Amino acid sequence: MIPLRVIFILVVELCERFCYYTIQGSQKFFLSQNLGYSSAQASSITTIFNTASYLGCLPGGVLGDRFLGRFLVIVIFGTIYVAGSFCLAISTLPGVDSKGLFLAGAFAGVAVGTGGIKPNVCNFGADQIQGENADQEKETFFSYFYWMINIGAVVALAIMTSVATTPGNFGISEDYGYFVSYGAGAIAMAACLAIFLLGSPGYIHKFLRSQTSTMKPIMKALVVSSSSPRGFVALTGWVLLVPFFVLSFMQAFAEEGSTAATVEAVAAFAISAVMLTCLTYAHLDNSWIRRAPSYDNGGEELVQADSISEDDIRMTFQTIPVLVVANTVFNFCYTMMIAPFLSQSCQMDLKLGSSQISGSLFNVGDCFAIVLFIPIFEMFIYPFFARLQGRDISPSQKLVGGFFFAAMAMVSATALEFARRGSSVLGPPGWDPSTQTADAFMGPCKVDGVQYCSNCAPKSEDGVNGIYMSSISGFTMFLPFGLVGLGEIMVNPVLYHYAYALTPAKTKSVVQAVNLIFQGAVPPALVAVFTTILKTAQPNNLNKGHIEFFYYISMALCVLGTPIYLIVARKSHIKNPETGTIIAGSQWESRIATSQVALAGRQMGSFVGGSVTGNDPLGSRVSQREINLSQRDIERWRTRGSYCGRERGAGRGGRRVHQAPPPPPPPPP
């Protein structure tokens, strides 16, 4: 039975995801309708918000793992989160000079708070479960944790975003929709933080901290080894992360249409190309890495029993090439759901009876696809292809399959955009379609008491003028959202497990943190950069734009990225972390070729204690179980084929050995 103290922790995760997706799901709409940003710049800021949330996972995890302990980090960052969410709610009130307050609440409050909570809350919950049946109870905990994530996200995306954009449907004044929506998220988060504190006397391992330093020796080794040609390339790649993120943030907030914004965006893209190339090439073979020795006052080298060896540092970087390439390819496509898909949805027919729904509602298609198709993949699709080829489905086959579904999502979104632009516009009687321009609003929203404007497309700041919907139903957008979800099932769990299984025990948390950065921070930043470069492709009125250009880039990444991934996977020099022996060619796949039952996703994003927990990107929504795993746990997997899981900085994941019967889906809470 789950202890009461663990239920307190589950409630925190439920409220955090509810509040986060309430904000993220309607943030783009508020920016373009109330703060005067164009559709393109609102999209860029929204994707950068996702980047900021994932970047916070690294310092948040380090603080919880090494310095303050998970309990204190959750309390401190939870308080920051609550303050930020209340700032957001207040900033939406009529008459408030809200731009500065809104952005401060979003980035300095919610994004920072998310980064501290996400890497710690799931592991802290697992820490609370002790006793003879701890393994079984932890599996139950992770199932419930997964459900908390998805319940919070679905309620936020399906209901609260509509409260924000169409408050009249809920009996709320038109001027107070965002306030009620964001206020509900803030109150829920504050209440859950209070509940978490009430459980404080019963928590165990509240101030547990690791005594082994990992980041410092790894960073020193990179610097010391930079004297070699390959080491210089690697250090260059890691250093370039800083200007890439700085320029990505600068271009998102630069004056729209200015030369500075364009120059910053182009520079960020150029830096990213060099950065990703350097990291991929340099870490294909890590034999150049040398450990920086430590000396005492007498000049004698210090050797500590728990220190990280040179071989451990080399194996820490051996998964980087695959993580960089695969995450860039898939999660660039994934980020289409945060901005371009929403822009497209909001200029489609959103009417439901006499009211409108929010374009964010279709995001739940991703959630439902994951939940519904995981058992289908595990019980039918994977076994069918395994029998067909006479062997289990390999991790590379799953990744390539995920790239395929991502590409198909872009194909379907492109086809729907062409169909939307070719359909009639649902304007008021007598409206002349020939008067349309790219950035001007189509006309008045209310004519003879009837609302014609989309509730989530850009509007004038006074709300009088806006964008009319096209006659094609917005519900067709469930198709591209769902296809992305199918890709998540095949990609994110494999990458989590790849990073886990091929990394030394002492540095698993570091590698999972890096995985989260390349999964949830780098791709959204790249999308933000392209949004600025291709500003004219995403005008306020999509009928005069070409939003499909973003889908063409995503498809090109899938087509070109697939052979690049296969080459990188084959060329990577991989060692078995347990034995230190070299694994030839692509034989590393045999170590992780078990079927990862992963509720892929964007929400759980955490990485402490040698594993990742829980993105959503985000971040992901995943079922997790690879947290704080002992050698006994690993041996139990091999001998019993038990059902295990993982996370996505938002997450959903797990694995099952093929010889074992398929596990039932997690029970609803």
Side-chain angles (χ1 to χ4, degrees):
M1 183 176 177
I2 298 268
L4 181 61
R5 60 179 180 267
V6 175
I7 294 176
F8 292 156
I9 296 169
L10 290 173
V11 171
V12 170
E13 182 63 13
L14 169 68
C15 295
E16 192 278 327
R17 288 294 90 186
F18 168 77
C19 186
Y20 182 85
Y21 279 101
T22 294
I23 294 166
Q24 191 210 50
S26 58
Q27 183 182 59
K28 178 183 181 299
F29 311 147
F30 187 80
L31 290 169
S32 63
Q33 293 179 343
N34 298 72
L35 298 186
Y37 290 104
S38 70
S39 179
Q41 191 166 18
S43 295
S44 186
I45 293 173
T46 300
T47 52
I48 280 296
F49 171 73
N50 199 78
T51 293
S53 299
Y54 272 86
L55 283 177
C57 290
L58 179 57
V62 171
L63 285 172
D65 192 34
R66 186 83 175 95
F67 296 102
L68 300 178
R70 293 165 189 160
F71 173 77
L72 280 180
V73 171
I74 293 171
V75 172
I76 293 170
F77 282 81
T79 303
I80 294 172
Y81 195 123
V82 170
S85 56
F86 273 110
C87 285
L88 279 170
I90 293 171
S91 73
T92 65
L93 285 170
V96 175
D97 185 10
S98 59
K99 183 175 291 188
L101 186 61
F102 182 91
L103 295 176
F107 285 88
V110 175
V112 171
T114 298
I117 294 173
K118 203 184 290 190
N120 291 288
V121 66
C122 187
N123 281 337
F124 187 65
D127 290 343
Q128 306 307 307
I129 300 175
Q130 305 290 320
E132 294 182 1
N133 298 320
D135 287 345
Q136 181 179 353
E137 290 180 1
K138 284 182 181 181
E139 295 226 356
T140 302
F141 165 73
F142 290 127
S143 294
Y144 280 110
F145 194 86
Y146 157 72
W147 278 104
M148 294 300 101
I149 287 170
N150 282 276
I151 291 171
V154 168
V155 172
L157 294 169
I159 299 176
M160 300 311 297
T161 57
S162 292
V163 171
T165 58
T166 317
N169 294 343
F170 301 88
I172 301 167
S173 171
E174 293 292 333
D175 293 331
Y176 290 88
Y178 286 98
F179 175 73
V180 171
S181 180
Y182 292 176
I187 291 171
M189 190 62 203
C192 291
L193 182 61
I195 292 172
F196 178 75
L197 289 171
L198 284 176
S200 177
Y203 296 141
I204 59 177
H205 303 313
K206 286 197 294 186
F207 307 107
L208 182 67
R209 299 187 298 275
S210 170
Q211 300 303 310
T212 302
S213 175
T214 53
M215 292 296 295
K216 186 176 180 180
I218 290 172
M219 294 173 67
K220 288 176 66 176
L222 279 176
V223 174
V224 168
S225 305
S226 63
S227 57
S228 68
R230 208 167 191 130
F232 177 78
V233 172
L235 185 61
T236 300
W238 291 110
V239 169
L240 286 178
L241 277 167
V242 177
F244 167 68
F245 284 123
V246 170
L247 287 171
S248 298
F249 277 81
M250 289 176 63
Q251 61 84 33
F253 292 100
E255 182 181 353
E256 188 171 18
S258 66
T259 301
T262 302
V263 170
E264 289 162 359
V266 171
F269 171 68
I271 289 172
S272 71
V274 176
M275 172 188 75
L276 297 174
T277 302
C278 286
L279 294 176
T280 302
Y281 164 75
H283 292 298
L284 287 174
D285 181 356
N286 294 288
S287 58
W288 50 269
I289 294 179
R290 298 288 180 267
R291 183 181 181 277
S294 299
Y295 300 94
D296 62 16
N297 294 332
E300 294 292 327
E301 182 175 353
L302 294 173
V303 179
Q304 298 176 333
D306 62 349
S307 63
I308 301 175
S309 69
E310 186 171 272
D311 218 31
D312 282 342
I313 297 175
R314 290 174 178 173
M315 287 187 287
T316 295
F317 290 100
Q318 67 184 0
T319 61
I320 295 301
V322 165
L323 295 179
V324 167
V325 174
N327 273 316
T328 301
V329 171
F330 179 77
N331 286 294
F332 187 93
C333 300
Y334 179 92
T335 308
M336 294 298 106
M337 296 196 302
I338 298 176
F341 280 11
L342 291 185
S343 297
Q344 184 175 348
S345 299
C346 287
Q347 206 163 327
M348 301 171 89
D349 186 359
L350 300 176
K351 294 196 299 293
L352 188 63
S354 59
S355 61
Q356 286 187 39
I357 57 174
S358 168
S360 290
L361 169 68
F362 308 121
N363 210 312
V364 302
D366 170 76
C367 307
F368 290 152
I370 290 168
V371 173
L372 294 175
F373 278 89
I374 282 174
I376 294 175
F377 271 82
E378 285 297 316
M379 291 188 283
F380 301 105
I381 296 177
Y382 289 155
F384 172 77
F385 282 102
R387 288 193 298 270
L388 201 64
Q389 66 182 10
R391 57 185 174 85
D392 286 343
I393 303 298
S394 71
S396 282
Q397 288 174 319
K398 291 182 179 180
L399 289 174
V400 171
F403 299 163
F404 170 78
F405 279 116
M408 289 301 98
M410 300 306 114
V411 170
S412 65
T414 300
L416 288 172
E417 176 59 12
F418 284 132
R420 189 200 63 77
R421 285 210 300 265
S423 64
S424 59
V425 175
L426 302 177
W431 176 75
D432 184 2
S434 65
T435 61
Q436 296 183 80
T437 60
D439 289 313
F441 299 108
M442 290 182 175
C445 290
K446 280 194 176 182
V447 178
D448 296 330
V450 179
Q451 176 66 257
Y452 287 94
C453 290
S454 166
N455 64 14
C456 55
K459 290 182 180 179
S460 59
E461 289 190 56
D462 59 11
V464 173
N465 298 302
I467 301 296
Y468 300 144
M469 297 175 285
S470 298
S471 58
I472 183 173
S473 174
F475 284 91
T476 56
M477 287 300 292
F478 273 125
L479 177 60
F481 277 104
L483 286 170
V484 173
L486 296 182
E488 283 188 77
I489 293 172
M490 305 186 77
V491 173
N492 288 326
V494 172
L495 294 181
Y496 277 114
H497 193 60
Y498 174 79
Y500 179 86
L502 298 177
T503 301
K506 293 179 181 178
T507 59
K508 289 183 188 296
S509 62
V510 174
V511 174
Q512 291 291 8
V514 172
N515 183 32
L516 287 177
I517 289 174
F518 284 102
Q519 181 185 83
V522 172
L526 281 172
V527 173
V529 165
F530 274 104
T531 301
T532 298
I533 295 173
L534 300 176
K535 175 185 178 298
T536 56
Q538 191 179 180
N540 288 336
N541 181 3
L542 293 184
N543 291 340
K544 297 299 180 180
H546 293 281
I547 202 168
E548 69 274 8
F549 287 177
F550 291 92
Y551 308 149
Y552 294 158
I553 295 172
S554 300
M555 284 186 272
L557 269 177
C558 292
V559 172
L560 298 176
T562 297
I564 292 174
Y565 158 73
L566 293 173
I567 293 171
V568 166
R570 183 163 292 276
K571 295 292 185 181
S572 294
H573 289 219
I574 303 293
K575 283 187 175 182
N576 186 324
E578 296 177 7
T579 64
T581 56
I582 295 176
I583 303 175
S586 59
Q587 293 179 9
W588 56 265
E589 298 195 7
S590 64
R591 276 186 59 83
I592 62 171
T594 54
S595 81
Q596 287 89 3
V597 174
L599 308 171
R602 61 192 153 228
Q603 288 117 25
M604 285 154 81
S606 60
F607 71 89
V608 181
S611 79
V612 119
T613 60
N615 112 77
D616 247 21
L618 167 175
S620 347
R621 296 160 211 164
V622 191
S623 146
Q624 333 241 341
R625 292 159 170 101
E626 286 178 346
I627 302 167
N628 297 329
L629 297 170
S630 65
Q631 191 61 38
R632 178 175 57 82
D633 294 323
I634 296 173
E635 187 61 33
R636 180 170 60 86
W637 293 356
R638 294 190 186 124
T639 57
R640 290 176 46 197
S642 63
Y643 175 52
C644 333
R646 67 90 190 96
E647 118 359 39
R648 163 180 165 133
R652 26 229 199 234
R655 80 172 198 174
R656 174 176 59 78
V657 175
H658 271 306
Q659 289 84 343

